[in-house]
Amino acid sequence: MKYRFGHPFPTDAVIRKVALSSGAPAHFSLSREGELVTLSYPLAEEDAVYGLGEQMRGINKRGWHYESWNLDDPIHHEGRTSLYGAHNFFLVWGKECFGAFLDCAGRVEYDVGFTDRNLFTVKAKDFDLYLFEGDSPSAIVREFRALIGRSYIPPKWAFGFAQSRWGYKNEADIREVYEEYRKAGLPLDMLFLDIDYMERFKDFTVDKTRFPDLKAFAAEMKQKNIHLVPIIDAAVKVEEGYPVYDEGIQKGYFCKDASGSPFVVGVWPGNSVLPDMLNPAARKWFGSRYRVLLDMGIEGFWNDMNEPVLFYSQERLQDALRIASETKEITCLADYERVSHTFFGLQNNDGDYRAFYHETENGRVVHEAVHNLYGYNMTRAAAEYFAEYAPGKRFLLFSRSSCVGMHRYGGIWTGDNSAWWSHLLLNLQQLPGLNMCGFLFAGADLGGFGGSTTEELLLRWLALGVFVPLMRNHSNLGSRPQECYRFTRTDVFRNLLGIRYSLLPYLYSEFVRCAFENDMLFRPLAFAYPDDVRARTVEDQLLVGGSLMIAPVYTQNAKGRYVYLPERMKLIRMKAGDRFTEQTLEKGEYYIPVSTEEVVFFLRCGKVLPLARPALNTASLDDKNLTWVKFIERPTAFTLVRDGGTSQIRKEDFETVLVEP
Ligand code: MIG
């Protein structure tokens, strides 16, 4: 059922035509204040609310308030309400079971039992509301996903391990990381280039003093089975003579202020302009700029700063400077506050998001009304161009900012987390919400982006990361270096990374299956064991695909943890290689010892798990000779996907293997 409120801007999130229903939507009561619509739903004690994509605060979202307003938040602690993505799908489950999607380009506010524990409200203007009914959460998610289209599938090499850091500044740095990985026998598929590869942070340029011949370097690395993955930022430097700037200005492709002049903002390159990602011609043009790097043999990118981040707008900065210079003396606190606030308020200021415009197919639109579509359309720009550049080829592409709809074009990483134990748990808790919205290719910065990681935190984080599609160790400029060879127990890191490659045939096959069947790769226990009251509240364990349950350790100095088994399962312990030990456990609560040297997980009853020999990279992974871990009494089918990994997957690439007990 679909209902319209106000005049929604078309987001292209939905790929099917759905007729508008008449009358009032079920489940909610409605109220209006001007254009703002509030949907209210009374929560019963047993009601849980799932979804909202990458939002923080648990798998069950009840008990807090959230906002869909794409925002760069480098220190996202529990007190915050919005992150990088706008993922407006949720599912209410308790006395009834239904799903809702707000197809909305602007701000949406959720109060999920925050103000009143028993009341859930959603506030927005100009949106389409889709309601989904079904027997189970999984069925509802499937319905929603069918409506928004198939999830992006990256090339197979993108399921390998990636090392990244803001601070690798030239070819020598990248080479050194590669050499260290190789010397230590640590598996690796990708090395990331952060903004320092560019010439003064200018998109689609390469600093010749740092990377004299990126094309040759990329080819050499590819020979070694390493893909270089450069970053692209949203904003374009203002600089005459820089072709991307000149062309964009000449064609009128940058966002403009009310008077029609390009809107100037400060980001890494200094004064910059924002490509109008919502103008189809500008989007096409921006996408085609990736060609410079594609021609150098680059096959993967990450799109950053596309909320979009505004460190300042030129106008607001001038105001702040004026206020400061007019204040000759600070004689009272009020003077101080006036001056300091003008500066503190510069970044990502709401007023600035109201001060520039997009030229869309539907006319001129103020940015504020379509804010959440910016990163989505930057990524779409790239993906649409890749499809033209090399039809049928799969590229790696993921973005920091996103909105439902972008899941068809690329994956995401969850932005600037911190080297905190709580963010390891957050990583786990974000995954089901993301999967519900079609973001299957996702991951967090392993080890934590900001702050100082520790060997123990990184090892524990990797023990979760081995199950997550995007497995990337990434960290901030100036933070403690955290490449896997930086610590004392290199052999343990080697084993953990090796386990990732052993698990790859399973993960990859299940990922592809989930994309084709609109399934979730990561499910809360509640979804699989709906009648189990205990399972319905588990916030720190997940099902991974059809066969596995994981329960990672996420506290410091732990020697293990309590795990809830909602049914009989096999505990699998892997330390090195594709070797494992197994132990059958009945349904119940257990304290499971888990050292930092192993990956422990559970095989569900009636299921099988293929394991490959560990490999140094995906290219040398042998997915023909598999060992099967089994918990079955009769022959059981498993669907393997063993395609070449670089061209579009077809149904014919699915192989059903019958595994004997
Ligand atoms: O404002 O390019 O989230 O992954 O390393 C910081 C530098 C800009 C933010 C990204 C992070 C990246 C960093 N970027």
Side-chain angles (χ1 to χ4, degrees):
M1 303 290 259
K2 173 181 179 182
Y3 304 88
R4 176 155 294 177
F5 298 90
H7 304 279
F9 183 86
T11 65
D12 296 338
V14 167
I15 57 160
R16 292 192 188 161
K17 281 242 170 317
V18 180
L20 284 176
S21 300
S22 55
H27 309 293
F28 297 102
S29 59
L30 285 179
S31 65
R32 295 172 204 258
E33 267 168 80
E35 297 172 303
L36 200 64
V37 176
T38 304
L39 306 169
S40 306
Y41 182 81
L43 291 170
E45 197 43 48
E46 71 267 30
D47 285 342
V49 179
Y50 294 95
L52 301 185
E54 81 183 339
Q55 283 288 11
M56 349 222 337
R57 283 239 180 189
I59 298 174
N60 178 356
K61 292 291 181 273
R62 186 168 178 178
W64 190 240
H65 59 122
Y66 311 87
E67 202 180 13
S68 289
W69 183 257
N70 293 351
L71 184 72
D72 171 18
D73 185 350
I75 313 196
H76 43 270
H77 56 72
E78 253 191 88
R80 300 296 169 90
T81 54
S82 51
L83 283 178
Y84 305 86
H87 305 141
N88 295 306
F89 173 77
F90 58 85
L91 202 150
V92 177
W93 190 23
K95 63 183 178 304
E96 16 178 39
C97 184
F98 68 94
F101 171 52
L102 269 82
D103 192 4
C104 182
R107 194 187 295 270
V108 184
E109 286 172 43
Y110 299 90
D111 183 325
V112 196
F114 169 70
T115 306
D116 171 352
R117 164 112 199 125
N118 298 319
L119 186 64
F120 176 20
T121 63
V122 184
K123 272 194 181 73
K125 57 183 183 190
D126 298 320
F127 61 95
D128 282 338
L129 172 70
Y130 293 84
L131 289 181
F132 308 88
E133 313 290 335
D135 306 336
S136 68
S138 302
I140 288 171
V141 169
R142 237 175 269 126
E143 251 186 83
F144 167 55
R145 296 265 302 280
L147 190 74
I148 59 172
R150 183 179 297 166
S151 298
Y152 160 78
I153 302 176
K156 198 184 272 177
W157 52 262
F159 288 82
F161 179 69
Q163 182 59 56
S164 180
R165 179 171 171 85
W166 181 11
Y168 300 153
K169 55 189 182 311
N170 54 32
E171 197 179 300
D173 286 354
I174 298 286
R175 246 180 229 292
E176 183 188 318
V177 178
Y178 167 76
E179 296 298 342
E180 294 292 336
Y181 265 84
R182 211 23 50 98
K183 256 198 312 208
L186 293 159
L188 186 68
D189 263 276
M190 293 165 272
L191 285 168
F192 277 63
L193 307 184
D194 209 318
I195 46 178
D196 296 311
Y197 80 87
M198 300 180 201
E199 200 187 293
R200 287 174 294 122
F201 308 130
K202 281 148 63 182
D203 275 346
F204 311 116
T205 68
V206 177
D207 186 321
K208 284 272 174 328
T209 63
R210 293 163 181 238
F211 291 89
D213 188 347
L214 183 59
K215 185 175 183 174
F217 184 48
E220 179 200 324
M221 292 310 280
K222 206 177 158 179
Q223 277 254 308
K224 297 170 171 157
N225 294 312
I226 301 290
H227 281 86
L228 298 181
V229 183
I231 196 170
I232 301 293
D233 276 4
V236 164
K237 184 175 175 61
V238 171
E239 184 180 277
E240 275 173 36
Y242 163 39
V244 182
Y245 174 73
D246 288 345
E247 258 177 65
I249 286 290
Q250 188 218 329
K251 296 184 167 142
Y253 285 164
F254 298 120
C255 293
K256 300 183 187 71
D257 64 17
S259 75
S261 314
F263 187 70
V264 178
V265 300
V267 201
W268 293 115
N271 283 344
S272 307
V273 281
L274 296 165
D276 189 349
M277 304 297 181
L278 294 171
N279 168 341
R283 184 163 68 229
K284 194 161 190 232
W285 166 78
F286 189 81
S288 66
R289 300 302 89 194
Y290 284 76
R291 172 160 194 169
V292 188
L293 290 150
L294 294 168
D295 283 348
M296 293 181 191
I298 298 297
E299 297 172 312
F301 296 88
W302 48 313
N303 284 343
D304 191 19
M305 307 299 275
N306 49 6
E307 290 68 29
V309 175
L310 317 178
F311 290 166
Y312 58 81
S313 71
Q314 195 47 256
E315 227 176 311
R316 197 169 298 276
L317 179 64
Q318 292 311 325
D319 272 353
L321 291 171
R322 184 181 45 73
I323 291 170
S325 70
E326 282 168 11
T327 310
K328 295 286 177 251
E329 220 184 335
I330 291 188
T331 52
C332 60
L333 193 60
D335 289 344
Y336 166 73
E337 282 178 345
R338 194 179 58 252
V339 176
S340 68
H341 284 181
T342 57
F343 285 95
F344 289 145
L346 282 179
Q347 196 156 341
N348 305 326
N349 189 292
D350 278 353
D352 288 333
Y353 290 127
R354 281 193 287 272
F356 66 94
Y357 297 83
H358 297 272
E359 309 283 350
T360 77
E361 276 167 308
N362 301 280
R364 186 161 168 268
V365 187
V366 64
H367 176 78
E368 184 188 38
V370 291
H371 176 70
N372 291 340
L373 299 182
Y374 194 85
Y376 162 12
N377 280 282
M378 175 186 183
T379 301
R380 176 181 177 181
E384 287 180 342
Y385 181 69
F386 299 167
E388 234 175 77
Y389 182 85
K393 177 171 166 152
R394 278 147 66 192
F395 288 86
L396 169 59
L397 179 62
F398 63 92
S399 174
R400 192 171 71 175
S401 185
S402 63
C403 186
V404 172
M406 202 200 85
H407 68 286
R408 300 194 300 271
Y409 301 102
I412 64 152
W413 91 101
T414 51
D416 296 347
N417 61 3
S418 298
W420 300 339
W421 289 92
S422 61
H423 277 187
L424 197 177
L425 178 60
L426 175 66
N427 184 180
L428 176 144
Q429 292 175 329
Q430 286 175 317
L431 289 165
L434 285 168
N435 280 194
M436 284 183 217
C437 289
F439 291 97
L440 294 182
F441 192 73
D445 292 350
L446 300 173
F449 175 75
S452 300
T453 205
T454 63
E455 182 175 52
E456 186 193 2
L457 176 56
L458 181 56
L459 286 171
R460 293 298 196 190
W461 214 323
L462 289 172
L464 164 63
V466 295
F467 297 100
V468 179
L470 170 60
M471 190 188 184
R472 183 177 73 142
N473 175 340
H474 178 55
S475 57
N476 199 359
L477 191 69
S479 65
R480 176 181 184 179
Q482 62 187 46
E483 292 82 8
C484 295
Y485 54 82
R486 299 278 185 183
F487 304 91
T488 49
R489 294 188 285 163
T490 313
D491 54 326
V492 179
F493 284 96
R494 189 186 311 123
N495 291 340
L496 288 191
L497 298 187
I499 291 169
R500 159 60 162 218
Y501 287 79
S502 292
L503 290 167
L504 254 177
Y506 174 75
L507 286 176
Y508 181 73
S509 301
E510 284 291 89
F511 180 99
V512 172
R513 182 188 61 73
C514 288
F516 272 68
E517 294 177 1
N518 295 320
D519 237 333
M520 293 161 68
L521 182 64
F522 295 100
R523 281 176 302 159
L525 264 52
F527 286 27
Y529 304 97
D531 302 324
D532 183 329
V533 182
R534 171 79 181 89
R536 284 180 72 158
T537 61
V538 171
E539 285 276 340
D540 57 0
Q541 302 174 205
L542 289 176
L543 295 166
V544 183
S547 300
L548 306 184
M549 181 180 84
I550 57 170
V553 171
Y554 55 90
T555 53
Q556 184 168 292
N557 296 314
K559 299 273 181 271
R561 56 161 287 181
Y562 283 94
V563 179
Y564 177 65
L565 266 59
E567 63 176 331
R568 200 160 169 239
M569 290 187 181
K570 246 185 200 178
L571 181 156
I572 311 293
R573 234 172 243 286
M574 292 181 78
K575 259 200 174 132
D578 55 353
R579 278 164 296 141
F580 59 90
T581 63
E582 51 181 64
Q583 180 191 357
T584 301
L585 295 173
E586 298 303 320
K587 170 179 168 145
E589 191 103 31
Y590 294 88
Y591 180 80
I592 310 284
V594 186
S595 81
T596 50
E597 297 177 8
E598 57 189 350
V599 176
V600 170
F601 55 93
F602 303 84
L603 179 63
R604 297 175 70 197
C605 198
K607 306 289 180 181
V608 294
L609 165 72
L611 286 179
R613 296 280 307 143
L616 275 181
N617 46 56
T618 49
S620 58
L621 186 81
D622 174 7
D623 61 5
K624 295 289 172 289
N625 296 303
L626 300 172
T627 305
W628 291 87
V629 193
K630 312 167 200 180
F631 194 17
I632 52 176
E633 278 168 4
R634 59 181 73 85
T636 300
F638 185 84
T639 304
L640 275 175
V641 180
R642 293 187 281 198
D643 69 317
T646 56
S647 53
Q648 297 309 315
I649 297 176
R650 302 147 311 147
K651 255 308 208 224
E652 296 87 273
D653 295 315
F654 288 61
E655 276 168 76
T656 305
V657 181
L658 205 62
V659 185
E660 298 294 332

